[in-house]
Amino acid sequence: MALERTFSIIKPDATRRNLTGAINAKFEEAGLRIIAQKRIQMTKAQAGKFYEVHAERPFYGELCDFMCSAPVVVQVLEGEGAIAKNREIMGATNPADAAPGTIRAEFAESVGENSVHGSDAPETAAEEIAYFFAGLELVG
Ligand code: DAT
Ligand code: MG
């Protein structure tokens, strides 16, 4: 499997509860390297654009408000098969369905406030990384 990069967000429910370190430990224990990371306050415009693919879903407004409700940590994770590996470590979108030991099983509060975002494919990973980071900020 190839060395890949994926985009990750530690969401407001997790930063509020001081879970940044615990979540990063899960990534590092699984062999993912955090090659870029910054704490930002997302704006409504940024959140709206980032989740544009969900614009028609009933939860879109709530999702964008939530993403701006506290700081988030945006990050780039690198490793063998990083995109799929990160989705595995994250667990299912709804924490009630997430496998034991996954980030969402351990930390998520609900389907909407589920602690982490992770890219779902190589194309979205590349787009999402470029949306938040300049090339020089990625130090692999
Ligand atoms: P994922 O974050 O696992 O990729 P997704 O892309 O389907 O899931 O949805 C993006 C986010 O939208 C998800 O992390 C939380 C929110 N969301 C998804 N389904 C929802 C629902 N049924 N009710 C409330 N929020 C939801
Ligand atoms: Mg998704």
Side-chain angles (χ1 to χ4, degrees), residues 11 51 54 59 63 87 93 104 111-112 114:
K11 294 184 179 180
Y51 278 121
H54 297 302
F59 56 80
L63 173 62
R87 295 294 308 196
T93 307
R104 283 165 165 172
V111 62
N114 59 6

Side-chain angles (χ1 to χ4, degrees), residues 44-58:
K44 283 280 170 65
Q46 267 177 327
K49 178 89 184 129
F50 183 74
Y51 278 121
E52 203 170 34
V53 64
H54 297 302
E56 302 308 321
R57 311 282 289 277

Side-chain angles (χ1 to χ4, degrees), residues 63-74:
L63 173 62
C64 295
D65 287 346
F66 165 62
M67 292 302 287
C68 302
S69 67
V72 298
V73 177
V74 292

Side-chain angles (χ1 to χ4, degrees), residues 76-118:
V76 180
L77 309 178
E78 184 180 79
E80 294 292 319
I83 297 167
K85 185 180 276 188
N86 183 38
R87 295 294 308 196
E88 201 180 307
I89 300 164
M90 288 164 62
T93 307
N94 186 341
D97 302 328
T102 60
I103 292 170
R104 283 165 165 172
E106 287 194 15
F107 303 125
E109 302 200 293
S110 65
V111 62
E113 306 206 358
N114 59 6
S115 304
V116 280
H117 165 84

